[in-house]
Amino acid sequence: FFFMAGCGLHCLAFIGVILFVLAGSFPWYYERGEINLIQTRRLNVAFQFFYEVAWDKCSADYCDLNMDFEYWEFSSSTTMTRLVFGLSWSFTILGGIYAVLAMFKGEKYGTCALTSAILTTLGICCFFFISPAIRSDSSYCNAGPCDSFAGSNSFAGQSVSWGPTFGFYFAVAAVCWMVILYLLECCCYSSRKKSKQHTRGKQSETVPIINHSNEKIVYSTPVYPSTAPPAQEVHVPVVEYEAPPPYVQKPSYTPSYQ
């Protein structure tokens, strides 16, 4: 039973690894703008630590979906923003590495699962500083991502929205999953501990009896008498030693005809 439970928990750890792969691959933050004039046009930009992807679409039939993917170049104008993205991504990757270790750690994979959850939580907490980072890198910004972590705004037929996206939510799901995995491992460990104690208790109740004929150890349950008879004093009579009478040699026989 415990072997099957352990295999099941290792499979659950594999699902956690998949969540970490998705969290490290998908964008963590997005900005969306929508213009409603003659036609509706939507522009979306999503960011990850090492790339950004943009796509736009309009409501007219002749508009096609345009998508542009490019690696996010490092520059001095986005130093703080990239620092926040880098810390969040690094902690998430470390959490994913511990999730991989949890698959092959044996009975102590709960520790790896908890460590993975803690590291990823640190990455998520770091990402909440993305708004101050954007405000620090922007020369002029009084609304939008530099003002709040998530939100929306509308003015003059235009609307904008911003906030976390798929990668961020995959990281949150990975943390919850690893915490659940840790709790399940704690329950299994407690059950294994009780089972071992029960087995030791049964073994301590048996007494080895050696059979000298074939030198094999045979275990049997000891029988303890319910009531033992009281001890009684036994008097042994003292017998005095008497020496035998002295030995007298009889005269030898001599026939009379000699």
Side-chain angles (χ1 to χ4, degrees):
F1 171 76
F2 294 114
F3 175 76
M4 296 177 61
C7 293
L9 291 177
H10 286 299
C11 293
L12 295 179
F14 177 73
I15 296 177
V17 172
I18 295 177
L19 291 175
F20 278 106
V21 171
L22 296 175
S25 302
F26 278 79
W28 277 49
Y29 207 74
Y30 81 95
E31 295 180 24
R32 178 182 297 116
E34 183 174 331
I35 302 175
N36 296 312
L37 296 176
I38 300 176
Q39 60 183 6
T40 302
R41 188 176 187 86
R42 299 180 181 88
L43 176 63
N44 303 272
V45 182
F47 303 92
Q48 175 56 287
F49 170 58
F50 54 93
Y51 73 87
E52 66 178 38
V53 58
W55 66 96
D56 62 336
K57 177 68 177 175
C58 65
S59 59
D61 296 335
Y62 57 84
C63 291
D64 296 328
L65 176 65
N66 298 320
M67 180 173 292
D68 183 24
F69 177 90
E70 61 181 15
Y71 290 101
W72 196 1
E73 297 180 357
F74 290 89
S75 63
S76 59
S77 61
T78 59
T79 302
M80 298 305 297
T81 304
R82 295 300 295 270
L83 178 62
V84 171
F85 270 97
L87 289 175
S88 301
W89 188 80
S90 300
F91 279 122
T92 303
I93 294 301
L94 288 175
I97 292 174
Y98 274 93
V100 174
L101 293 177
M103 296 173 55
F104 307 100
K105 198 60 178 177
E107 294 183 355
K108 297 183 179 180
Y109 58 85
T111 304
C112 293
L114 181 61
T115 304
S116 174
I118 292 175
L119 290 173
T120 311
T121 302
L122 290 176
I124 293 173
C125 292
C126 289
F127 196 72
F128 281 104
F129 291 92
I130 189 65
S131 294
I134 295 174
R135 184 166 56 250
S136 177
D137 292 334
S138 302
S139 58
Y140 175 77
C141 182
N142 56 3
C146 59
D147 184 53
S148 61
F149 181 71
S152 60
N153 196 0
S154 299
F155 55 92
Q158 301 180 11
S159 62
V160 293
S161 60
W162 62 92
T165 186
F166 298 108
F168 177 84
Y169 294 118
F170 279 129
V172 174
V175 171
C176 298
W177 191 264
M178 300 311 288
V179 170
I180 293 174
L181 187 64
Y182 171 73
L183 295 177
L184 290 176
E185 195 276 336
C186 290
C187 296
C188 291
Y189 175 77
S190 178
S191 300
R192 288 195 299 265
K193 187 176 181 181
K194 291 181 180 179
S195 178
K196 289 180 180 179
Q197 291 177 351
H198 183 67
T199 304
R200 291 195 190 102
K202 285 187 175 181
Q203 291 179 354
S204 63
E205 292 178 358
T206 60
V207 178
I209 299 176
I210 300 178
N211 186 357
H212 294 281
S213 60
N214 51 12
E215 297 298 327
K216 292 183 179 180
I217 299 177
V218 181
Y219 290 90
S220 63
T221 304
V223 179
Y224 300 99
S226 58
T227 57
Q232 297 180 357
E233 184 178 358
V234 180
H235 296 279
V236 179
V238 180
V239 179
E240 296 182 359
Y241 175 76
E242 295 182 359
Y247 174 76
V248 180
Q249 186 177 3
K250 295 182 180 181
S252 60
Y253 174 73
T254 304
S256 59
Y257 59 84
Q258 290 182 354

